[in-house]
Amino acid sequence: MLGNFIYSNPTKLYFGDEAQKHLSDALGGFGKKVLLIYGGGSIKQNGVYDDVIEALTTAGKEIVELPGVMSNPTLDKLDEGRRIARENDVDFILAVGGGSTIDYAKAVSVSAWYDGDAWRNFWVNQNNPAADARIIPVGAVLTMAGTGSEMNGGSVITNRAENMKIGKVFGENVMPKFAVLNPRYTFSLPRRQMIAGIFDTMSHIMEQYFSGDDDCTSDYLAEGLMRSVIASSRAAVKNPEDYEARSNLMWSSTWALNTLLKAGKTQDWMVHMIGHAISACTDATHGMTLSGISVAYYRHIMPGCPARFARFAKVVWDVCPDGRSDEEIASEGLDALGAWIREIGAASEITSLGVTSDMLDKIADATIILPGGYRRLSHDDIVDILRESL
Ligand code: NZQ
Ligand code: ZN
């Protein structure tokens, strides 16, 4: 554990198949007027909306509704949310949905009372709100496991006009004050979204795992979480109403990206940068963009640290190392990752997501290039990875 860090996470979690019973108490201290943000309407079909309205009513809240948050929430939608939050002078924002809804709620929370160009300041230039900025507190009721947005400061916004999808990780003052995690709420998810969330979780862990080569507790935690995600994914794909599997997936996805695993580590995140660029150009489902490129990406960076990839193969995929080099073991581990992607039905290529060969340059242009875990990619590397993923 060679890195220095401060660890704190302010989000209070209510977990389990009766978690919603705590919602009215959780809302208690946060003022009278609540902006209720949700997506395209699934919560009205699966009963979650009714549970939430009951809790808000019990807590004596005045409700302002803001529906219609789309997957990959856009800047135009953010403008609408800022206006509604401000005009109604809301005291609190309750986000009910998946990562898109919760990310969007955080974006509204920091932007509503900010008078400048929020997109440029927070997302493009990655600034934080001023110390005395007015930030509307957010709470979350999670209906889809995957992003970890319920317990982190991440907020990913898409600017369609500029073909840019950018994530900003805000600090503790923007992270949800609480999150209600009822695994049963995820039962109504379409199968494809469940699988996208599973791969998103796995990818968050890998983005933090494939970086650094010291002996670090965070990597052992990551390996345990990956094994749990793989085991639970198999059970959930067989029976989506397997509560044990869905509850493990929900808990794993929260811990995969709630600031724990990155402690003491450098990180990679290039799969996400390329995935975001694919979504910016196609509006493809986040988790599927990641599964579509991961194997090609990891084959590119594996020579930067074969020992870490061999460890991944042995510990996560039970690859037998006998008499073979790290590169050979590592390669078998990446084969196993690819086989699992196909087994659970995640996208194993990007053609099915709407990517065509004439778009590769544009996607590479839209990719934010970070230092990377084991290698800094060039524009041409990204085009190669995309081409190998078609
Ligand atoms: O719009 P509704 O009706 O809610 O339907 C959603 C949506 O169509 C549906 N859904 C969610 N819960 C459901 C349900 N349908 C039936 N029953 C339920 N219980 O599923 C669809 C996808 O929802 P969405 O919120 O878009 O998915 P996800 O949770 O994967 O969020 C994706 C967004 O999060 C960002 C992504 O880039 C993307 O914009 N991310 C946020 C991160 C963060 N905050 O740290 C990190 C991630 O890497 C990611 O980038
Ligand atoms: Zn993700």
Side-chain angles (χ1 to χ4, degrees):
M1 204 89 183
L2 300 182
N4 299 333
F5 57 88
I6 297 170
Y7 187 79
S8 165
N9 190 313
T11 305
K12 181 168 184 172
L13 301 178
Y14 300 91
F15 189 93
D17 66 357
E18 297 192 335
Q20 73 282 0
K21 291 189 175 163
H22 299 284
L23 180 56
S24 69
D25 285 346
L27 287 161
F30 291 109
K32 180 103 184 131
K33 213 184 242 189
V34 174
L35 181 62
L36 174 60
I37 296 185
Y38 54 97
S42 63
I43 63 166
K44 291 203 168 161
Q45 278 141 32
N46 59 17
V48 175
Y49 178 84
D50 296 336
D51 287 353
V52 168
I53 295 292
E54 189 186 324
L56 285 163
T57 309
T58 306
K61 304 294 178 179
E62 195 180 317
I63 307 167
V64 178
E65 293 202 21
L66 170 45
V69 179
M70 64 290 282
S71 288
N72 303 321
T74 64
L75 187 54
D76 289 344
K77 184 70 182 174
L78 175 57
D79 287 339
E80 179 196 343
R82 292 171 79 180
R83 184 177 49 72
I84 292 174
R86 208 164 158 145
E87 280 172 8
N88 290 282
D89 194 4
V90 298
D91 301 304
F92 190 74
I93 299 174
L94 184 63
V96 183
S100 295
T101 299
I102 303 173
D103 280 18
Y104 175 79
K106 293 175 206 165
V108 172
S109 117
V110 292
S111 306
W113 295 99
Y114 178 71
D115 285 324
D117 180 344
W119 165 253
R120 214 137 294 284
N121 186 44
F122 299 128
W123 282 271
V124 177
N125 296 332
Q126 296 279 304
N127 291 319
N128 287 315
D132 60 350
R134 182 166 169 196
I135 294 167
I136 306 168
V138 171
V141 176
L142 187 67
T143 65
M144 168 165 174
T147 65
S149 188
E150 65 277 11
M151 202 184 186
N152 69 34
S155 173
V156 186
I157 295 295
T158 298
N159 181 333
R160 289 254 156 265
E162 295 182 12
N163 261 340
M164 290 300 289
K165 175 174 176 177
I166 305 180
K168 163 70 185 163
V169 181
F170 292 101
E172 286 186 32
N173 48 356
V174 181
M175 290 164 72
K177 302 295 174 203
F178 63 80
V180 171
L181 311 182
N182 183 338
R184 238 172 253 290
Y185 281 2
T186 68
F187 280 10
S188 57
L189 261 178
R191 187 179 189 83
R192 188 170 185 280
Q193 293 295 344
M194 175 185 80
I195 293 165
I198 290 170
F199 195 83
D200 194 20
T201 303
M202 186 72 175
S203 180
H204 295 157
I205 306 170
M206 293 192 292
E207 297 274 26
Q208 295 164 96
Y209 181 76
F210 288 121
S211 186
D213 58 5
D214 59 323
D215 187 32
C216 178
T217 298
S218 299
D219 294 321
Y220 295 90
L221 292 172
E223 287 160 349
L225 275 178
M226 285 190 276
R227 290 188 67 98
S228 170
V229 170
I230 294 161
S232 301
S233 72
R234 289 180 165 142
V237 162
K238 232 177 253 153
N239 173 16
E241 301 212 350
D242 179 335
Y243 181 84
E244 189 179 41
R246 298 304 287 272
S247 61
N248 283 332
L249 288 168
M250 195 174 224
W251 194 231
S252 299
S253 65
T254 299
W255 285 90
L257 194 56
N258 73 348
T259 70
L260 174 78
L261 291 186
K262 69 174 185 175
K265 287 185 61 73
T266 57
Q267 302 166 67
D268 186 335
W269 291 106
M270 277 312 297
V271 170
H272 271 67
M273 294 304 104
I274 302 172
H276 284 177
I278 293 173
S279 288
C281 298
T282 62
D283 203 28
T285 300
H286 173 65
M288 295 301 184
T289 65
L290 310 174
S291 62
I293 58 169
S294 282
V295 175
Y297 172 74
Y298 287 125
R299 289 205 188 281
H300 271 251
I301 69 159
M302 187 262 275
C305 194
R308 173 54 54 96
F309 282 88
R311 173 172 160 179
F312 173 70
K314 287 181 282 189
V315 179
V316 178
W317 299 106
D318 297 321
V319 170
C320 172
D322 290 352
R324 293 185 302 155
S325 67
D326 277 354
E327 282 80 359
E328 288 166 332
I329 300 163
S331 181
E332 197 175 323
L334 293 179
D335 288 346
L337 174 64
W340 176 68
I341 288 170
R342 290 187 297 277
E343 177 192 340
I344 62 172
S348 55
E349 38 68 37
I350 53 177
T351 310
S352 61
L353 307 178
V355 178
T356 49
S357 50
D358 57 321
M359 295 167 67
L360 305 188
D361 259 313
K362 182 173 143 191
I363 295 171
D365 286 342
T367 302
I368 295 169
I369 299 181
L370 303 172
Y374 298 123
R375 175 170 161 194
R376 182 187 275 276
L377 297 185
S378 66
H379 179 277
D380 289 352
D381 289 330
I382 296 171
V383 172
D384 286 346
I385 289 163
L386 290 167
R387 188 169 296 111
E388 287 159 24
S389 305
L390 282 172

